[in-house]
Amino acid sequence: MLASAVHNVSLVYALVWAIDNYYGMATSTPLAVVQFPTSRESRSLHNDLIDAALFRSSGTGRIQFLLEDDRVEMTEANAETELPPPSGLSGRPTAIWFLDSLRSYFRLEMYLNQLGSPYKRNGYFLVVYTGLEDQPMESLKIMFRRLLNMYVLNVNVFLQRDGTVHLYTYYPYGPHHCQSSLPVYYTAFQDLPAPAAGFGLTKPLFPTKLANMHGCQLVVATFEHRPYVIIEDDPETPGGRRVHGIEGLIFRTLAERMNFSVKLVERQDRNRGEILPDGNFTGILKMMVDGDVNLTFVCFMYSKARADLMLPSISYASFPIDLVIPSGGSMSPMGRLTRPFRYIIWSCLLASLIFGFLLIGLLRITAVPGLRNLVLGRHNHRPCLGMWGSLLGGLAIHNPQRNFARYILVMWLLQTLILRAAYTGQLYLLLRDVERRSPIKSLGEVLAKDYEFRILPALRTVFKDSMPRTNFRVVASQEESLYRLRDEDDPGIAVPLLQPTIHQFDFRSGPNERHLTILPDPLMTAPLTFYMRPHSYFKRRVDRLLMAMMSSGIVARYRMMYLDRIKPVAQRRNMEPKPLSIWRLGGIFVCCGWLYLLAFVVFVLEISTRNHPRLRRVFNLINRYAA
């Protein structure tokens, strides 16, 4: 039985039904129960209602309760703890509030608006109203109007009249109204002839209010930023502007599914916004905090600083952040000749040649003729020249006579065959590309050169935490830096940028222009998100639709529609051979010139040694045993 002081039996069982059939099943977070009485009688009545309701619902063990007072005292102990962000990203999404008058509601409003309020205003709340007015609808009108301004949408009022608990709520969007806060009778609990089965609701406790917005208007701030947002003129669209791109198509799908119209606000300065040192805001962030727009999207990376001031949706996609670095000067002609092999391969090849020359010299000078003929072959008077010739693709004319020596020769021929093929193929790639460069290969090299990192405000905290000694500068736009990195050999800067933005810049530059150079490995992965007003009630609906779009592959389809257009540009770049110029072949001509000069010197020495017998014998010895 209920306590004797409690006469409104239906209200108690309505609370028990709401706790057991909704809060105990729809959420695992604790349910806050708070009373805001303005008189002793009301406090006593609220206490009896709470005791009776919790006594009957706590036995099921479905949910944990938090009983709170109507004031939050800031002590030294909890002042040091981190308060919930003003955006309402965290906090409790459920509560039951006990009110007895309009004055009591104002205390609740102060509780919700105070710094560090523990509630998400876009949650699901019950208001148990025990006022004694003859016309409580006037109070409900004021309450609902102020709750709508605070983005508290999913709220029901339990109002007991004539032994029946009636539920009142409001629908901000309807066929003939937008932003309406008029109280609407939703349903009522069944009569209670006996506290047995059959008591409850025939409808959901909280109705769906955003499934159809009936064409009501939302104000959206954005600007063109390909391939994410593309804005084009369209006379058939209200406002004359239509959005495309990856995020543009996602947003248009949301608008069609929720049936709302759009007022597009284009930010001409392309400023997403940042927090100034004096605490003020700029750009779209300021518009959002001031309440001028409802939603924004334009390649917004998730960051804690933004999430503390705006309410983020779930991430619809993630893209790698690559580091755009200076491309370096064009390769020199001699650099193209040595670039096909790294120093390790050149060292191995040189060591093989030196070992072969030493072995040939040792056999020609100290070995007996039989051993020399066995290893080098009969009538092989120029083994070093034969070794050079086989290295450059010539024939091995004088073959050795025994298997061991032949095995060594076969291994040498195999080695030279692979090296010649690899060198020729790579040299062809280097010679055909006039823009071939020698870029930096690792992040350590970038840091060693002390390049200035030009970063967006969203990456400031990331770089401070991960690379505290990095020389970085926060900029609102990176367009000018990208042009410098493309056109200058070494501007002394580096730019971390999303991969699709890099592809879009190269696509815009065209296949015949120089493209951006990036590090082989990305720095990190950045999630992209939409941002809404603080405590916006659109978040739950938008998150569900984004999840459905990602699960069905719609988001992936939108990504491929735009990314596939720009990705192949970097792959097709310089695939067609270009005419070879004298500059690119300059290394060959320089080497040949030095060899011709050496041959001329040898020719002069050969002529000049005719009258010097001793010098002639020295040259004959060199020709016999070295060549």
Side-chain angles (χ1 to χ4, degrees):
M1 294 295 295
L2 295 174
S4 58
V6 179
H7 301 286
N8 36 13
V9 179
S10 299
L11 186 56
V12 173
Y13 278 102
L15 289 172
V16 173
W17 185 93
I19 293 172
D20 290 344
N21 292 274
Y22 179 78
Y23 289 116
M25 296 181 177
T27 178
S28 60
T29 58
L31 174 63
V33 180
V34 191
Q35 54 175 317
F36 298 87
T38 57
S39 65
R40 231 176 245 186
E41 294 77 8
S42 295
R43 181 177 294 274
S44 176
L45 175 61
H46 292 171
N47 288 335
D48 289 342
L49 288 171
I50 293 173
D51 290 342
L54 297 190
F55 175 76
R56 278 156 179 77
S57 59
S58 60
T60 59
R62 294 179 178 176
I63 194 167
Q64 180 182 1
F65 297 96
L66 291 177
L67 301 181
E68 296 181 346
D69 198 358
D70 58 345
R71 296 181 181 85
V72 177
E73 300 292 340
M74 294 298 297
T75 61
E76 295 182 359
N78 58 20
E80 298 177 357
T81 61
E82 186 177 0
L83 297 176
S87 65
L89 180 61
S90 61
R92 291 195 291 273
T94 58
I96 298 178
W97 296 318
F98 287 81
L99 307 179
D100 63 357
S101 62
L102 191 58
R103 178 186 170 194
S104 176
Y105 163 76
F106 290 144
R107 295 173 62 181
L108 167 63
E109 186 174 304
M110 294 176 58
Y111 187 74
L112 292 177
N113 286 326
Q114 69 177 343
L115 183 64
S117 176
Y119 290 106
K120 291 183 180 180
R121 297 184 205 168
N122 54 15
Y124 295 87
F125 306 106
L126 284 181
V127 173
V128 179
Y129 192 72
T130 60
L132 301 178
E133 303 97 330
D134 294 333
Q135 297 294 331
M137 289 299 106
E138 295 300 323
S139 298
L140 293 187
K141 288 180 182 179
I142 298 174
M143 291 166 49
F144 284 159
R145 184 176 68 249
R146 300 177 72 93
L147 288 172
L148 176 61
N149 293 334
M150 292 194 306
Y151 282 87
V152 181
L153 179 67
N154 296 302
V155 57
N156 288 343
V157 175
F158 280 12
L159 191 62
Q160 188 177 25
R161 287 294 180 266
D162 300 327
T164 302
V165 179
H166 300 272
L167 270 70
Y168 289 89
T169 187
Y170 70 96
Y171 293 86
Y173 305 104
H176 307 292
H177 63 266
C178 295
Q179 295 292 315
S180 172
S181 61
L182 293 177
V184 176
Y185 174 80
Y186 177 57
T187 186
F189 282 87
Q190 298 173 2
D191 292 332
L192 189 64
F199 181 79
L201 296 180
T202 58
K203 296 181 179 180
L205 180 61
F206 290 95
T208 302
K209 299 181 179 180
L210 298 177
N212 186 352
M213 295 180 61
H214 300 278
C216 293
Q217 190 180 78
L218 290 185
V219 183
V220 178
T222 186
F223 54 82
E224 184 164 283
H225 183 54
R226 297 171 181 259
Y228 313 98
V229 180
I230 303 173
I231 303 178
E232 299 177 350
D233 293 329
D234 187 0
E236 299 180 358
T237 302
R241 305 285 277 172
R242 190 178 184 89
V243 291
H244 299 274
I246 301 174
E247 287 184 310
L249 289 182
I250 293 175
F251 177 74
R252 283 170 53 186
T253 304
L254 292 176
E256 293 173 3
R257 186 66 181 84
M258 297 175 64
N259 190 20
F260 61 81
S261 59
V262 179
K263 179 182 178 182
L264 199 63
V265 178
E266 295 184 52
R267 187 78 190 191
Q268 299 300 328
D269 57 2
R270 297 173 176 265
N271 185 5
R272 293 182 178 87
E274 60 179 320
I275 306 173
L276 300 177
D278 59 359
N280 293 322
F281 313 110
T282 63
I284 294 179
L285 176 59
K286 177 176 174 58
M287 299 172 66
M288 189 69 68
V289 173
D290 293 343
D292 297 332
V293 295
N294 299 108
L295 188 143
T296 181
F297 58 91
V298 55
C299 186
F300 272 101
M301 293 179 287
Y302 177 86
S303 67
K304 186 179 184 301
R306 285 173 177 165
D308 286 343
L309 298 170
M310 299 184 292
L311 191 60
S313 69
I314 61 172
S315 174
Y316 74 91
S318 296
F319 293 107
I321 295 181
D322 291 326
L323 185 64
V324 184
I325 56 176
S327 58
S330 299
M331 292 183 64
S332 64
M334 293 302 298
R336 294 175 186 269
L337 293 182
T338 59
R339 183 62 180 270
F341 291 158
R342 299 188 64 180
Y343 67 93
I344 297 179
I345 300 179
W346 285 119
S347 301
C348 294
L349 180 60
L350 183 61
S352 300
L353 289 174
I354 293 175
F355 178 76
F357 291 150
L358 291 177
L359 180 62
I360 291 173
L362 183 64
L363 292 174
R364 295 296 298 269
I365 296 175
T366 62
V368 296
L371 180 61
R372 184 168 59 249
N373 295 336
L374 177 67
V375 176
L376 301 180
R378 291 183 180 276
H379 309 294
N380 189 4
H381 303 295
R382 298 175 180 84
C384 291
L385 187 61
M387 187 174 181
W388 274 111
S390 60
L391 175 63
L392 299 177
L395 300 176
I397 300 176
H398 303 284
N399 296 327
Q401 299 178 355
R402 302 298 294 272
N403 292 332
F404 175 71
R406 290 175 179 175
Y407 176 77
I408 295 178
L409 176 62
V410 170
M411 294 301 297
W412 168 253
L413 294 178
L414 178 63
Q415 176 184 352
T416 56
L417 173 66
I418 298 300
L419 290 176
R420 284 197 310 273
Y423 183 84
T424 304
Q426 189 64 22
L427 183 64
Y428 168 72
L429 297 176
L430 294 173
L431 290 178
R432 74 175 184 174
D433 188 359
V434 69
E435 292 296 332
R436 182 70 67 171
R437 302 189 171 249
S438 302
I440 299 170
K441 296 298 182 182
S442 66
L443 181 60
E445 297 180 41
V446 178
L447 297 177
K449 292 180 178 293
D450 196 28
Y451 284 153
E452 181 183 76
F453 282 65
R454 302 282 181 88
I455 63 174
L456 295 172
L459 294 175
R460 178 188 313 172
T461 305
V462 177
F463 273 82
K464 280 186 177 180
D465 295 339
S466 59
M467 294 182 287
R469 298 184 180 180
T470 305
N471 177 23
F472 66 89
R473 190 175 111 194
V474 179
V475 295
S477 175
Q478 298 171 317
E479 196 77 9
E480 181 266 341
S481 301
L482 294 180
Y483 280 110
R484 288 187 59 190
L485 287 168
R486 186 193 68 178
D487 299 332
E488 299 179 22
D489 290 340
D490 191 4
I493 60 176
V495 176
L497 207 59
L498 288 175
Q499 194 177 79
T501 308
I502 298 173
H503 292 325
Q504 179 66 38
F505 186 87
D506 291 339
F507 177 82
R508 211 172 51 190
S509 299
N512 298 323
E513 294 291 334
R514 287 174 57 176
H515 288 180
L516 298 175
T517 304
I518 62 175
L519 286 182
D521 299 322
L523 296 180
M524 64 190 76
T525 299
L528 301 189
T529 182
F530 294 167
Y531 279 100
M532 291 160 275
R533 285 287 315 279
H535 301 282
S536 175
Y537 47 72
F538 295 110
K539 175 176 170 56
R540 294 178 181 271
R541 180 64 174 161
V542 170
D543 286 353
R544 291 193 186 100
L545 290 176
L546 287 177
M547 287 292 294
M549 293 168 64
M550 288 188 287
S551 301
S552 61
I554 296 177
V555 173
R557 173 60 180 165
Y558 291 160
R559 290 178 56 170
M560 289 188 295
M561 286 175 57
Y562 292 94
L563 297 185
D564 287 352
R565 300 178 187 177
I566 59 178
K567 276 185 178 179
V569 173
Q571 300 171 2
R572 292 198 309 263
R573 174 175 175 256
N574 299 320
M575 292 300 292
E576 293 296 330
K578 297 180 180 179
L580 298 179
S581 63
I582 187 65
W583 184 85
R584 274 182 279 170
L585 294 177
I588 297 294
F589 293 123
V590 170
C591 291
C592 291
W594 281 104
L595 292 177
Y596 280 127
L597 180 61
L598 180 60
F600 177 75
V601 172
V602 172
F603 173 75
V604 172
L605 291 177
E606 291 281 354
I607 297 299
S608 63
T609 55
R610 289 182 176 180
N611 301 326
H612 299 80
R614 292 183 179 178
L615 189 59
R616 184 69 180 178
R617 286 195 295 271
V618 171
F619 274 95
N620 290 337
L621 180 64
I622 294 175
N623 290 333
R624 181 180 181 85
Y625 293 102

